[in-house]
mmCIF file of all heavy atoms in Angstrom:
data_model
loop_
_atom_site.group_PDB
_atom_site.id
_atom_site.type_symbol
_atom_site.label_atom_id
_atom_site.label_comp_id
_atom_site.label_asym_id
_atom_site.label_seq_id
_atom_site.Cartn_x
_atom_site.Cartn_y
_atom_site.Cartn_z
ATOM 1 N N GLU A 113 -21.937 -29.971 18.023
ATOM 2 C CA GLU A 113 -21.187 -30.743 19.020
ATOM 3 C C GLU A 113 -22.065 -31.356 20.100
ATOM 4 O O GLU A 113 -21.669 -32.359 20.709
ATOM 5 C CB GLU A 113 -20.102 -29.869 19.661
ATOM 6 C CG GLU A 113 -20.651 -28.709 20.458
ATOM 7 C CD GLU A 113 -19.561 -27.727 20.882
ATOM 8 O OE1 GLU A 113 -18.431 -27.814 20.385
ATOM 9 O OE2 GLU A 113 -19.874 -26.877 21.732
ATOM 10 N N ASN A 114 -23.251 -30.807 20.327
ATOM 11 C CA ASN A 114 -24.130 -31.352 21.363
ATOM 12 C C ASN A 114 -24.887 -32.590 20.900
ATOM 13 O O ASN A 114 -25.701 -33.121 21.642
ATOM 14 C CB ASN A 114 -25.087 -30.287 21.899
ATOM 15 C CG ASN A 114 -25.875 -29.600 20.801
ATOM 16 O OD1 ASN A 114 -25.337 -29.300 19.736
ATOM 17 N ND2 ASN A 114 -27.145 -29.341 21.028
ATOM 18 N N ASP A 129 -38.192 -25.312 19.596
ATOM 19 C CA ASP A 129 -38.301 -26.499 20.439
ATOM 20 C C ASP A 129 -37.139 -26.445 21.420
ATOM 21 O O ASP A 129 -35.981 -26.487 21.007
ATOM 22 C CB ASP A 129 -38.241 -27.755 19.571
ATOM 23 C CG ASP A 129 -38.468 -29.035 20.359
ATOM 24 O OD1 ASP A 129 -38.212 -29.067 21.588
ATOM 25 O OD2 ASP A 129 -38.893 -30.035 19.740
ATOM 26 N N ALA A 130 -37.445 -26.370 22.707
ATOM 27 C CA ALA A 130 -36.395 -26.221 23.720
ATOM 28 C C ALA A 130 -35.448 -27.412 23.743
ATOM 29 O O ALA A 130 -34.346 -27.318 24.276
ATOM 30 C CB ALA A 130 -37.030 -26.027 25.094
ATOM 31 N N ASP A 131 -35.877 -28.534 23.158
ATOM 32 C CA ASP A 131 -35.020 -29.727 23.131
ATOM 33 C C ASP A 131 -34.152 -29.795 21.877
ATOM 34 O O ASP A 131 -33.427 -30.769 21.691
ATOM 35 C CB ASP A 131 -35.873 -31.005 23.212
ATOM 36 C CG ASP A 131 -36.451 -31.233 24.599
ATOM 37 O OD1 ASP A 131 -35.898 -30.681 25.576
ATOM 38 O OD2 ASP A 131 -37.449 -31.962 24.702
ATOM 39 N N LEU A 132 -34.228 -28.804 21.018
ATOM 40 C CA LEU A 132 -33.462 -28.837 19.776
ATOM 41 C C LEU A 132 -32.709 -27.524 19.618
ATOM 42 O O LEU A 132 -33.250 -26.528 19.129
ATOM 43 C CB LEU A 132 -34.387 -29.102 18.581
ATOM 44 C CG LEU A 132 -33.719 -29.271 17.215
ATOM 45 C CD1 LEU A 132 -32.557 -30.256 17.239
ATOM 46 C CD2 LEU A 132 -34.749 -29.726 16.178
ATOM 47 N N VAL A 133 -31.453 -27.533 20.065
ATOM 48 C CA VAL A 133 -30.629 -26.331 20.079
ATOM 49 C C VAL A 133 -29.255 -26.634 19.510
ATOM 50 O O VAL A 133 -28.828 -27.776 19.467
ATOM 51 C CB VAL A 133 -30.478 -25.760 21.518
ATOM 52 C CG1 VAL A 133 -31.824 -25.335 22.072
ATOM 53 C CG2 VAL A 133 -29.795 -26.751 22.441
ATOM 54 N N ALA A 135 -24.885 -25.504 19.293
ATOM 55 C CA ALA A 135 -23.821 -25.429 20.285
ATOM 56 C C ALA A 135 -23.846 -24.123 21.058
ATOM 57 O O ALA A 135 -23.292 -24.033 22.146
ATOM 58 C CB ALA A 135 -22.468 -25.608 19.596
ATOM 59 N N LYS A 137 -26.662 -22.866 22.053
ATOM 60 C CA LYS A 137 -27.940 -22.983 22.778
ATOM 61 C C LYS A 137 -29.111 -22.267 22.069
ATOM 62 O O LYS A 137 -30.164 -22.093 22.670
ATOM 63 C CB LYS A 137 -27.832 -22.444 24.228
ATOM 64 C CG LYS A 137 -27.105 -23.375 25.181
ATOM 65 C CD LYS A 137 -25.601 -23.271 25.091
ATOM 66 C CE LYS A 137 -24.891 -24.101 26.147
ATOM 67 N NZ LYS A 137 -23.428 -24.028 26.025
ATOM 68 N N TYR A 148 -29.732 -37.851 15.719
ATOM 69 C CA TYR A 148 -29.210 -37.419 17.011
ATOM 70 C C TYR A 148 -28.250 -38.474 17.543
ATOM 71 O O TYR A 148 -28.473 -39.679 17.381
ATOM 72 C CB TYR A 148 -30.358 -37.213 18.006
ATOM 73 C CG TYR A 148 -31.369 -36.209 17.526
ATOM 74 C CD1 TYR A 148 -32.636 -36.598 17.108
ATOM 75 C CD2 TYR A 148 -31.044 -34.852 17.472
ATOM 76 C CE1 TYR A 148 -33.559 -35.673 16.640
ATOM 77 C CE2 TYR A 148 -31.967 -33.912 17.005
ATOM 78 C CZ TYR A 148 -33.218 -34.337 16.595
ATOM 79 O OH TYR A 148 -34.121 -33.413 16.138
ATOM 80 N N SER A 150 -25.401 -39.339 21.047
ATOM 81 C CA SER A 150 -25.001 -38.918 22.386
ATOM 82 C C SER A 150 -23.805 -37.984 22.286
ATOM 83 O O SER A 150 -23.121 -37.914 21.254
ATOM 84 C CB SER A 150 -24.617 -40.124 23.240
ATOM 85 O OG SER A 150 -23.367 -40.653 22.795
ATOM 86 N N HIS A 151 -23.533 -37.301 23.375
ATOM 87 C CA HIS A 151 -22.414 -36.360 23.403
ATOM 88 C C HIS A 151 -21.085 -37.066 23.184
ATOM 89 O O HIS A 151 -20.207 -36.563 22.462
ATOM 90 C CB HIS A 151 -22.429 -35.611 24.735
ATOM 91 C CG HIS A 151 -21.519 -34.444 24.770
ATOM 92 N ND1 HIS A 151 -20.196 -34.555 25.145
ATOM 93 C CD2 HIS A 151 -21.706 -33.143 24.459
ATOM 94 C CE1 HIS A 151 -19.631 -33.366 25.078
ATOM 95 N NE2 HIS A 151 -20.514 -32.491 24.656
ATOM 96 N N SER A 152 -20.900 -38.243 23.765
ATOM 97 C CA SER A 152 -19.616 -38.913 23.559
ATOM 98 C C SER A 152 -19.496 -39.432 22.124
ATOM 99 O O SER A 152 -18.406 -39.432 21.553
ATOM 100 C CB SER A 152 -19.356 -40.017 24.584
ATOM 101 O OG SER A 152 -20.483 -40.828 24.775
ATOM 102 N N PHE A 155 -18.445 -36.485 19.993
ATOM 103 C CA PHE A 155 -17.015 -36.201 20.028
ATOM 104 C C PHE A 155 -16.161 -37.341 19.490
ATOM 105 O O PHE A 155 -15.003 -37.129 19.120
ATOM 106 C CB PHE A 155 -16.586 -35.717 21.423
ATOM 107 C CG PHE A 155 -16.854 -34.247 21.573
ATOM 108 C CD1 PHE A 155 -18.094 -33.789 21.984
ATOM 109 C CD2 PHE A 155 -15.884 -33.323 21.216
ATOM 110 C CE1 PHE A 155 -18.365 -32.432 22.048
ATOM 111 C CE2 PHE A 155 -16.137 -31.955 21.286
ATOM 112 C CZ PHE A 155 -17.382 -31.504 21.702
ATOM 113 N N ARG A 159 -13.310 -36.210 17.154
ATOM 114 C CA ARG A 159 -11.920 -36.627 17.435
ATOM 115 C C ARG A 159 -11.473 -37.748 16.519
ATOM 116 O O ARG A 159 -10.283 -37.882 16.228
ATOM 117 C CB ARG A 159 -11.819 -37.060 18.899
ATOM 118 C CG ARG A 159 -10.437 -37.087 19.486
ATOM 119 C CD ARG A 159 -10.424 -37.731 20.864
ATOM 120 N NE ARG A 159 -11.424 -37.229 21.791
ATOM 121 C CZ ARG A 159 -12.564 -37.861 22.080
ATOM 122 N NH1 ARG A 159 -12.853 -39.018 21.504
ATOM 123 N NH2 ARG A 159 -13.413 -37.337 22.958
ATOM 124 N N ILE A 189 -12.795 -15.905 34.035
ATOM 125 C CA ILE A 189 -13.218 -17.310 34.006
ATOM 126 C C ILE A 189 -12.674 -17.970 32.744
ATOM 127 O O ILE A 189 -12.958 -17.517 31.639
ATOM 128 C CB ILE A 189 -14.764 -17.415 33.956
ATOM 129 C CG1 ILE A 189 -15.418 -16.455 34.933
ATOM 130 C CG2 ILE A 189 -15.202 -18.853 34.163
ATOM 131 C CD1 ILE A 189 -15.277 -16.816 36.367
ATOM 132 N N PRO A 190 -11.901 -19.038 32.873
ATOM 133 C CA PRO A 190 -11.471 -19.753 31.670
ATOM 134 C C PRO A 190 -12.604 -20.633 31.144
ATOM 135 O O PRO A 190 -13.418 -21.146 31.916
ATOM 136 C CB PRO A 190 -10.305 -20.612 32.166
ATOM 137 C CG PRO A 190 -10.584 -20.827 33.614
ATOM 138 C CD PRO A 190 -11.395 -19.661 34.107
ATOM 139 N N VAL A 192 -13.434 -23.336 27.438
ATOM 140 C CA VAL A 192 -12.833 -23.817 26.190
ATOM 141 C C VAL A 192 -13.839 -24.476 25.244
ATOM 142 O O VAL A 192 -13.759 -24.293 24.051
ATOM 143 C CB VAL A 192 -11.620 -24.744 26.479
ATOM 144 C CG1 VAL A 192 -12.070 -26.036 27.186
ATOM 145 C CG2 VAL A 192 -10.880 -25.106 25.217
ATOM 146 N N GLY A 193 -14.804 -25.236 25.721
ATOM 147 C CA GLY A 193 -15.756 -25.893 24.829
ATOM 148 C C GLY A 193 -15.082 -26.920 23.937
ATOM 149 O O GLY A 193 -14.143 -27.598 24.347
ATOM 150 N N GLY A 194 -15.554 -27.027 22.725
ATOM 151 C CA GLY A 194 -15.098 -28.084 21.814
ATOM 152 C C GLY A 194 -13.968 -27.694 20.882
ATOM 153 O O GLY A 194 -13.548 -28.503 20.047
ATOM 154 N N MET A 196 -10.696 -27.321 21.059
ATOM 155 C CA MET A 196 -9.460 -28.116 20.992
ATOM 156 C C MET A 196 -9.704 -29.458 20.306
ATOM 157 O O MET A 196 -8.852 -29.948 19.562
ATOM 158 C CB MET A 196 -8.897 -28.333 22.397
ATOM 159 C CG MET A 196 -8.341 -27.068 23.028
ATOM 160 S SD MET A 196 -7.560 -27.423 24.612
ATOM 161 C CE MET A 196 -6.890 -25.800 25.003
ATOM 162 N N ASP A 197 -10.865 -30.048 20.559
ATOM 163 C CA ASP A 197 -11.185 -31.320 19.892
ATOM 164 C C ASP A 197 -11.371 -31.112 18.388
ATOM 165 O O ASP A 197 -10.865 -31.872 17.562
ATOM 166 C CB ASP A 197 -12.469 -31.917 20.473
ATOM 167 C CG ASP A 197 -12.339 -32.279 21.945
ATOM 168 O OD1 ASP A 197 -11.799 -33.362 22.232
ATOM 169 O OD2 ASP A 197 -12.770 -31.474 22.791
ATOM 170 N N ILE A 200 -8.058 -30.558 16.309
ATOM 171 C CA ILE A 200 -7.178 -31.711 16.081
ATOM 172 C C ILE A 200 -7.900 -32.825 15.341
ATOM 173 O O ILE A 200 -7.257 -33.703 14.761
ATOM 174 C CB ILE A 200 -6.570 -32.272 17.409
ATOM 175 C CG1 ILE A 200 -7.627 -32.765 18.392
ATOM 176 C CG2 ILE A 200 -5.670 -31.233 18.044
ATOM 177 C CD1 ILE A 200 -8.055 -34.189 18.225
ATOM 178 N N PRO A 227 -2.772 -18.204 24.624
ATOM 179 C CA PRO A 227 -2.733 -19.657 24.851
ATOM 180 C C PRO A 227 -3.249 -20.432 23.642
ATOM 181 O O PRO A 227 -4.287 -20.094 23.069
ATOM 182 C CB PRO A 227 -3.652 -19.842 26.060
ATOM 183 C CG PRO A 227 -3.558 -18.554 26.802
ATOM 184 C CD PRO A 227 -3.437 -17.505 25.741
ATOM 185 N N LEU A 228 -2.511 -21.469 23.267
ATOM 186 C CA LEU A 228 -2.843 -22.249 22.079
ATOM 187 C C LEU A 228 -4.102 -23.091 22.255
ATOM 188 O O LEU A 228 -4.341 -23.661 23.321
ATOM 189 C CB LEU A 228 -1.698 -23.206 21.741
ATOM 190 C CG LEU A 228 -0.468 -22.655 21.039
ATOM 191 C CD1 LEU A 228 0.453 -23.814 20.653
ATOM 192 C CD2 LEU A 228 -0.844 -21.859 19.793
ATOM 193 N N THR A 229 -4.849 -23.186 21.159
ATOM 194 C CA THR A 229 -5.935 -24.155 21.057
ATOM 195 C C THR A 229 -5.388 -25.452 20.474
ATOM 196 O O THR A 229 -5.753 -26.543 20.923
ATOM 197 C CB THR A 229 -7.053 -23.598 20.155
ATOM 198 O OG1 THR A 229 -7.505 -22.341 20.686
ATOM 199 C CG2 THR A 229 -8.202 -24.567 20.018
ATOM 200 N N PHE B 91 -27.212 -29.675 28.008
ATOM 201 C CA PHE B 91 -26.375 -28.778 27.208
ATOM 202 C C PHE B 91 -27.167 -27.494 27.086
ATOM 203 O O PHE B 91 -28.164 -27.446 26.367
ATOM 204 C CB PHE B 91 -26.105 -29.409 25.845
ATOM 205 C CG PHE B 91 -25.034 -28.715 25.069
ATOM 206 C CD1 PHE B 91 -23.739 -29.191 25.073
ATOM 207 C CD2 PHE B 91 -25.324 -27.586 24.312
ATOM 208 C CE1 PHE B 91 -22.744 -28.562 24.339
ATOM 209 C CE2 PHE B 91 -24.337 -26.946 23.586
ATOM 210 C CZ PHE B 91 -23.040 -27.438 23.596
ATOM 211 N N GLY B 92 -26.729 -26.441 27.820
ATOM 212 C CA GLY B 92 -27.644 -25.325 28.025
ATOM 213 C C GLY B 92 -28.790 -25.856 28.872
ATOM 214 O O GLY B 92 -28.575 -26.617 29.812
ATOM 215 N N ALA B 94 -31.236 -27.633 27.388
ATOM 216 C CA ALA B 94 -31.734 -28.820 26.685
ATOM 217 C C ALA B 94 -31.251 -30.076 27.406
ATOM 218 O O ALA B 94 -30.058 -30.329 27.498
ATOM 219 C CB ALA B 94 -31.270 -28.823 25.240
ATOM 220 N N ASN B 117 -21.792 -27.084 31.528
ATOM 221 C CA ASN B 117 -21.711 -25.702 31.991
ATOM 222 C C ASN B 117 -21.869 -25.663 33.514
ATOM 223 O O ASN B 117 -22.017 -26.697 34.141
ATOM 224 C CB ASN B 117 -22.814 -24.875 31.336
ATOM 225 C CG ASN B 117 -22.797 -24.981 29.828
ATOM 226 O OD1 ASN B 117 -23.537 -25.780 29.240
ATOM 227 N ND2 ASN B 117 -21.946 -24.210 29.201
ATOM 228 N N SER B 140 -16.697 -27.662 30.973
ATOM 229 C CA SER B 140 -16.025 -27.235 29.761
ATOM 230 C C SER B 140 -16.229 -25.763 29.443
ATOM 231 O O SER B 140 -15.342 -25.138 28.877
ATOM 232 C CB SER B 140 -16.519 -28.083 28.578
ATOM 233 O OG SER B 140 -15.810 -27.744 27.415
ATOM 234 N N PHE B 141 -17.398 -25.206 29.817
ATOM 235 C CA PHE B 141 -17.659 -23.817 29.447
ATOM 236 C C PHE B 141 -18.444 -23.110 30.527
ATOM 237 O O PHE B 141 -19.660 -22.933 30.396
ATOM 238 C CB PHE B 141 -18.376 -23.743 28.085
ATOM 239 C CG PHE B 141 -17.996 -22.510 27.328
ATOM 240 C CD1 PHE B 141 -16.989 -22.543 26.374
ATOM 241 C CD2 PHE B 141 -18.613 -21.286 27.594
ATOM 242 C CE1 PHE B 141 -16.610 -21.397 25.693
ATOM 243 C CE2 PHE B 141 -18.231 -20.128 26.913
ATOM 244 C CZ PHE B 141 -17.225 -20.197 25.955
ATOM 245 N N PRO B 142 -17.756 -22.668 31.593
ATOM 246 C CA PRO B 142 -18.465 -22.033 32.708
ATOM 247 C C PRO B 142 -18.631 -20.524 32.567
ATOM 248 O O PRO B 142 -18.940 -19.847 33.547
ATOM 249 C CB PRO B 142 -17.561 -22.350 33.903
ATOM 250 C CG PRO B 142 -16.194 -22.444 33.324
ATOM 251 C CD PRO B 142 -16.352 -22.931 31.913
ATOM 252 N N ARG B 143 -18.390 -19.999 31.355
ATOM 253 C CA ARG B 143 -18.401 -18.548 31.204
ATOM 254 C C ARG B 143 -19.482 -18.118 30.223
ATOM 255 O O ARG B 143 -19.470 -18.500 29.047
ATOM 256 C CB ARG B 143 -17.035 -18.069 30.688
ATOM 257 C CG ARG B 143 -16.900 -16.554 30.616
ATOM 258 C CD ARG B 143 -15.562 -16.148 30.040
ATOM 259 N NE ARG B 143 -15.446 -16.478 28.631
ATOM 260 C CZ ARG B 143 -14.345 -16.980 28.073
ATOM 261 N NH1 ARG B 143 -13.271 -17.231 28.801
ATOM 262 N NH2 ARG B 143 -14.315 -17.251 26.789
ATOM 263 N N TYR B 154 -16.440 -18.324 42.039
ATOM 264 C CA TYR B 154 -15.101 -18.635 41.537
ATOM 265 C C TYR B 154 -14.145 -17.460 41.764
ATOM 266 O O TYR B 154 -13.027 -17.651 42.247
ATOM 267 C CB TYR B 154 -15.172 -18.977 40.043
ATOM 268 C CG TYR B 154 -13.828 -19.292 39.414
ATOM 269 C CD1 TYR B 154 -13.211 -20.531 39.631
ATOM 270 C CD2 TYR B 154 -13.178 -18.361 38.604
ATOM 271 C CE1 TYR B 154 -11.981 -20.818 39.048
ATOM 272 C CE2 TYR B 154 -11.955 -18.652 38.022
ATOM 273 C CZ TYR B 154 -11.359 -19.873 38.250
ATOM 274 O OH TYR B 154 -10.148 -20.165 37.672
ATOM 275 N N LEU B 164 -12.016 -28.723 31.363
ATOM 276 C CA LEU B 164 -11.645 -29.774 30.416
ATOM 277 C C LEU B 164 -12.159 -29.436 29.025
ATOM 278 O O LEU B 164 -13.244 -28.876 28.889
ATOM 279 C CB LEU B 164 -12.262 -31.111 30.837
ATOM 280 C CG LEU B 164 -11.808 -31.706 32.161
ATOM 281 C CD1 LEU B 164 -12.664 -32.930 32.496
ATOM 282 C CD2 LEU B 164 -10.335 -32.095 32.101
ATOM 283 N N GLN B 166 -14.259 -30.156 25.860
ATOM 284 C CA GLN B 166 -15.567 -30.787 25.921
ATOM 285 C C GLN B 166 -15.530 -32.279 25.554
ATOM 286 O O GLN B 166 -16.220 -33.088 26.173
ATOM 287 C CB GLN B 166 -16.534 -30.045 24.991
ATOM 288 C CG GLN B 166 -17.960 -30.210 25.414
ATOM 289 C CD GLN B 166 -18.904 -29.489 24.481
ATOM 290 O OE1 GLN B 166 -19.915 -30.038 24.084
ATOM 291 N NE2 GLN B 166 -18.592 -28.264 24.111
ATOM 292 N N GLY B 167 -14.739 -32.624 24.555
ATOM 293 C CA GLY B 167 -14.648 -34.029 24.175
ATOM 294 C C GLY B 167 -13.938 -34.866 25.228
ATOM 295 O O GLY B 167 -14.281 -36.028 25.454
ATOM 296 N N SER B 170 -16.362 -35.617 28.070
ATOM 297 C CA SER B 170 -17.295 -36.680 27.695
ATOM 298 C C SER B 170 -16.616 -38.046 27.712
ATOM 299 O O SER B 170 -17.185 -39.027 28.210
ATOM 300 C CB SER B 170 -17.817 -36.393 26.287
ATOM 301 O OG SER B 170 -19.108 -36.893 26.095
ATOM 302 N N THR B 185 -5.587 -39.016 24.443
ATOM 303 C CA THR B 185 -6.303 -38.262 23.421
ATOM 304 C C THR B 185 -5.382 -37.184 22.852
ATOM 305 O O THR B 185 -4.605 -36.569 23.583
ATOM 306 C CB THR B 185 -7.582 -37.593 23.983
ATOM 307 O OG1 THR B 185 -8.099 -36.683 23.002
ATOM 308 C CG2 THR B 185 -7.320 -36.826 25.271
ATOM 309 N N THR B 187 -6.386 -34.368 21.848
ATOM 310 C CA THR B 187 -6.954 -33.075 22.199
ATOM 311 C C THR B 187 -6.143 -32.410 23.304
ATOM 312 O O THR B 187 -5.842 -33.038 24.317
ATOM 313 C CB THR B 187 -8.410 -33.253 22.646
ATOM 314 O OG1 THR B 187 -9.151 -33.836 21.574
ATOM 315 C CG2 THR B 187 -9.039 -31.935 23.059
ATOM 316 N N ALA B 188 -5.838 -31.134 23.101
ATOM 317 C CA ALA B 188 -5.142 -30.305 24.081
ATOM 318 C C ALA B 188 -3.638 -30.559 24.153
ATOM 319 O O ALA B 188 -2.961 -29.919 24.961
ATOM 320 C CB ALA B 188 -5.743 -30.402 25.477
ATOM 321 N N THR B 191 -0.978 -27.707 24.871
ATOM 322 C CA THR B 191 -1.676 -26.506 25.330
ATOM 323 C C THR B 191 -1.691 -26.443 26.856
ATOM 324 O O THR B 191 -1.265 -27.382 27.536
ATOM 325 C CB THR B 191 -3.141 -26.487 24.839
ATOM 326 O OG1 THR B 191 -3.928 -27.395 25.629
ATOM 327 C CG2 THR B 191 -3.254 -26.871 23.370
ATOM 328 N N ARG B 205 1.455 -38.758 16.757
ATOM 329 C CA ARG B 205 0.834 -37.558 17.321
ATOM 330 C C ARG B 205 1.083 -37.512 18.828
ATOM 331 O O ARG B 205 1.067 -38.552 19.488
ATOM 332 C CB ARG B 205 -0.677 -37.561 17.120
ATOM 333 C CG ARG B 205 -1.141 -37.793 15.709
ATOM 334 C CD ARG B 205 -2.653 -37.752 15.647
ATOM 335 N NE ARG B 205 -3.127 -36.377 15.694
ATOM 336 C CZ ARG B 205 -4.401 -36.034 15.507
ATOM 337 N NH1 ARG B 205 -5.303 -36.953 15.302
ATOM 338 N NH2 ARG B 205 -4.759 -34.770 15.561
ATOM 339 N N ARG B 234 -35.295 -37.162 23.757
ATOM 340 C CA ARG B 234 -35.957 -36.294 22.800
ATOM 341 C C ARG B 234 -34.933 -35.347 22.183
ATOM 342 O O ARG B 234 -34.342 -34.508 22.855
ATOM 343 C CB ARG B 234 -37.070 -35.493 23.499
ATOM 344 C CG ARG B 234 -37.947 -34.823 22.530
ATOM 345 C CD ARG B 234 -39.283 -34.377 23.107
ATOM 346 N NE ARG B 234 -40.006 -33.757 22.018
ATOM 347 C CZ ARG B 234 -39.804 -32.509 21.608
ATOM 348 N NH1 ARG B 234 -38.956 -31.735 22.256
ATOM 349 N NH2 ARG B 234 -40.456 -32.032 20.575
ATOM 350 N N LYS B 235 -34.692 -35.554 20.902
ATOM 351 C CA LYS B 235 -33.873 -34.659 20.083
ATOM 352 C C LYS B 235 -32.521 -34.377 20.747
ATOM 353 O O LYS B 235 -31.880 -35.295 21.276
ATOM 354 C CB LYS B 235 -34.656 -33.368 19.787
ATOM 355 C CG LYS B 235 -35.984 -33.665 19.085
ATOM 356 C CD LYS B 235 -36.670 -32.411 18.545
ATOM 357 C CE LYS B 235 -37.958 -32.819 17.859
ATOM 358 N NZ LYS B 235 -38.661 -31.693 17.238
ATOM 359 N N SER B 236 -32.096 -33.104 20.755
ATOM 360 C CA SER B 236 -30.755 -32.811 21.279
ATOM 361 C C SER B 236 -30.747 -32.734 22.800
ATOM 362 O O SER B 236 -29.702 -32.465 23.389
ATOM 363 C CB SER B 236 -30.206 -31.510 20.664
ATOM 364 O OG SER B 236 -30.906 -30.386 21.163
ATOM 365 N N ALA B 237 -31.879 -33.019 23.444
ATOM 366 C CA ALA B 237 -31.883 -33.128 24.907
ATOM 367 C C ALA B 237 -31.133 -34.387 25.349
ATOM 368 O O ALA B 237 -30.823 -34.545 26.520
ATOM 369 C CB ALA B 237 -33.320 -33.156 25.435
ATOM 370 N N ARG B 238 -30.841 -35.274 24.426
ATOM 371 C CA ARG B 238 -30.120 -36.517 24.734
ATOM 372 C C ARG B 238 -28.733 -36.201 25.301
ATOM 373 O O ARG B 238 -28.384 -36.620 26.384
ATOM 374 C CB ARG B 238 -30.003 -37.359 23.464
ATOM 375 C CG ARG B 238 -29.238 -38.660 23.644
ATOM 376 C CD ARG B 238 -28.942 -39.352 22.317
ATOM 377 N NE ARG B 238 -30.120 -39.617 21.518
ATOM 378 C CZ ARG B 238 -30.160 -40.509 20.532
ATOM 379 N NH1 ARG B 238 -29.100 -41.234 20.273
ATOM 380 N NH2 ARG B 238 -31.251 -40.672 19.829
ATOM 381 N N ASN B 239 -27.952 -35.516 24.565
ATOM 382 C CA ASN B 239 -26.553 -35.112 24.802
ATOM 383 C C ASN B 239 -25.818 -35.992 25.816
ATOM 384 O O ASN B 239 -25.551 -37.165 25.534
ATOM 385 C CB ASN B 239 -26.445 -33.595 25.038
ATOM 386 C CG ASN B 239 -27.205 -33.053 26.248
ATOM 387 O OD1 ASN B 239 -26.770 -33.189 27.378
ATOM 388 N ND2 ASN B 239 -28.344 -32.404 26.020
ATOM 389 N N TYR B 240 -25.484 -35.539 26.995
ATOM 390 C CA TYR B 240 -24.628 -36.292 27.922
ATOM 391 C C TYR B 240 -25.311 -37.478 28.607
ATOM 392 O O TYR B 240 -24.634 -38.306 29.230
ATOM 393 C CB TYR B 240 -24.120 -35.366 29.032
ATOM 394 C CG TYR B 240 -23.011 -34.420 28.650
ATOM 395 C CD1 TYR B 240 -23.283 -33.164 28.143
ATOM 396 C CD2 TYR B 240 -21.668 -34.773 28.854
ATOM 397 C CE1 TYR B 240 -22.264 -32.281 27.829
ATOM 398 C CE2 TYR B 240 -20.646 -33.900 28.548
ATOM 399 C CZ TYR B 240 -20.948 -32.649 28.033
ATOM 400 O OH TYR B 240 -19.927 -31.764 27.736
ATOM 401 N N THR B 243 -24.225 -41.282 28.250
ATOM 402 C CA THR B 243 -22.855 -41.502 28.726
ATOM 403 C C THR B 243 -22.809 -41.445 30.248
ATOM 404 O O THR B 243 -22.214 -42.310 30.906
ATOM 405 C CB THR B 243 -21.920 -40.431 28.139
ATOM 406 O OG1 THR B 243 -22.190 -40.277 26.748
ATOM 407 C CG2 THR B 243 -20.466 -40.799 28.328
#
Side-chain angles (χ1 to χ4, degrees):
Chain A
E113 64 190 12
N114 54 320
D129 185 335
D131 287 338
L132 184 49
V133 297
K137 284 81 174 178
Y148 302 108
S150 72
H151 192 272
S152 45
F155 277 86
R159 199 189 311 102
I189 316 288
V192 65
M196 290 185 175
D197 297 278
I200 61 88
L228 282 187
T229 303
Chain B
F91 192 97
N117 306 97
S140 184
F141 212 96
R143 185 183 69 221
Y154 179 77
L164 296 172
Q166 205 181 135
S170 210
T185 170
T187 300
T191 76
R205 308 181 77 172
R234 192 162 180 279
K235 302 191 179 183
S236 71
R238 178 190 304 199
N239 61 77
Y240 284 89
T243 315

